[in-house]
């Protein structure tokens, strides 16, 4: 069981306190401002790293008085302490968020479609959808593996998901095609989870050249 943010805050606070209480004995009380002043500093509602604060955090006897006053004020100050715990909790909470964000691309490791367009005619979107059979994919996040028409060059390709052949792109993605044993293969990372089931158009192209369009069924 991991400790709560509050427990961690308390543990770190105690470690810092113990360190200050032990490391600055100052038996001659050199430079000490007096207990009343220390009490005033302990009663501050906001942290101020001035000379007094510097002294108190570098003088074990003054710090002991400071902690005693803090303890006394604890009831009145609990709101401020809670605010500090909240800040720390927020700082700790950002750590797993970063991890989650970084691990997200791993979800694209799931193949949700495998399209063979090798025998599709090499023609543009102005001549209607290719005669290849309808391509399929599931409405989820992952990647689509595409065998591009035979003879396609390698390099970067873009893919758009449209509702109609010449419609605007509902989604756009890109991938880097490689030629393996004469086959031009590209993987497009996609997330179809927000699209409703039904018929779409997958348009694949590169640069300013004409796009090729294929009927797509999402289910
Ligand atoms: Zn002192």
């Amino acid at each position: 069981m991991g400790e709560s943010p509050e427990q961690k805050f308390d543990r770190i606070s105690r470690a810092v306190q113990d360190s200050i209480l032990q490391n600055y004995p100052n038996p001659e009380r050199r430079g000490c401002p007096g207990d009343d002043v220390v009490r005033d500093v302990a009663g501050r509602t906001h942290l101020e790293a001035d000379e007094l604060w510097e002294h108190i955090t570098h003088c074990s006897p003054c710090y002991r008085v400071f902690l005693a006053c803090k303890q006394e004020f604890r009831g009145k100050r609990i709101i401020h302490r809670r605010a500090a715990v909240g800040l720390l909790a927020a700082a700790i909470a950002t750590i797993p968020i970063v991890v989650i964000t970084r691990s997200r691309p791993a979800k694209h490791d799931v193949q949700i479609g495998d399209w063979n367009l090798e025998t599709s005619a090499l023609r543009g979107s102005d001549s209607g959808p290719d005669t290849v059979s309808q391509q399929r994919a599931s409405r989820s996040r992952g990647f689509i593996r595409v065998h591009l028409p035979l003879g396609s060059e390698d390099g970067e390709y873009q893919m758009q998901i449209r509702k109609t052949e010449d419609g605007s792109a509902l989604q756009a993605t890109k991938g880097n095609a490689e030629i393996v044993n004469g086959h031009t293969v590209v993987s497009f990372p996609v997330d179809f989870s927000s699209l409703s089931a039904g018929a779409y158009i997958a348009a694949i192209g590169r640069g300013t050249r004409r796009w090729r369009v294929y009927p797509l069924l999402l289910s």
Side-chain angles (χ1 to χ4, degrees):
M1 294 287 282
E3 59 188 352
S4 71
E6 185 150 357
Q7 285 170 327
K8 182 166 186 169
F9 180 84
D10 286 344
R11 179 170 58 78
I12 294 168
S13 296
R14 272 197 304 278
V16 171
Q17 287 170 8
D18 289 348
S19 161
I20 296 173
L21 287 171
Q22 286 167 21
N23 293 337
Y24 310 100
N26 196 9
E28 297 165 19
R29 302 301 300 267
R30 195 169 291 162
C32 293
D35 289 358
D36 287 347
V37 175
V38 173
R39 188 183 173 83
D40 284 347
V41 174
R44 285 175 180 172
T45 55
H46 61 283
L47 280 179
E48 196 181 327
D50 58 5
E51 277 181 38
L52 284 170
W53 174 254
E54 275 297 304
H55 175 86
I56 291 166
T57 52
H58 294 82
C59 174
S60 298
C62 281
Y63 193 66
R64 192 164 291 113
V65 174
F66 173 84
L67 285 184
C69 294
K70 278 279 189 197
Q71 188 73 22
E72 187 186 321
F73 297 153
R74 195 182 157 90
K76 303 172 198 168
R77 298 284 308 283
I78 193 127
I79 292 162
H80 298 285
R81 186 168 169 285
R82 279 197 180 139
V85 170
L87 282 175
L88 188 73
I92 290 169
T94 58
I95 295 166
I97 286 169
V98 169
V99 171
I100 288 164
T101 305
R102 290 210 174 132
S103 66
R104 266 196 181 159
K107 292 239 180 181
H108 285 300
D109 290 347
V110 181
Q111 182 171 327
I112 63 167
D114 190 3
W115 303 348
N116 187 344
L117 310 177
E118 289 191 335
T119 57
S120 69
L122 291 170
R123 59 185 185 188
S125 62
D126 53 344
S127 56
D130 268 294
T131 51
V132 292
S133 60
Q134 191 169 48
Q135 304 305 316
R136 292 173 173 271
S138 64
R139 291 164 51 231
S140 56
R141 180 200 291 265
F143 70 90
I144 307 278
R145 189 158 167 269
V146 180
H147 280 71
L148 292 169
L150 288 171
S152 296
E153 296 168 26
D154 58 0
E156 190 181 271
Y157 284 77
Q158 295 159 350
M159 179 171 73
Q160 293 182 354
I161 303 302
R162 306 171 181 169
K163 197 60 192 171
T164 59
E165 280 176 45
D166 299 314
S168 55
L170 302 174
Q171 291 195 359
T173 181
K174 58 188 175 186
N176 209 44
E178 290 177 0
I179 297 175
V180 182
N181 298 330
H183 303 277
T184 311
V185 184
V186 57
S187 289
F188 292 112
V190 295
D191 185 357
F192 293 153
S193 55
S194 63
L195 297 175
S196 50
Y200 293 85
I201 295 290
I204 298 175
R206 58 185 321 195
T208 56
R209 298 185 209 177
R210 283 193 293 186
W211 293 61
R212 288 197 289 273
V213 295
Y214 306 94
L216 165 66
L217 185 68
L218 290 186
S219 56

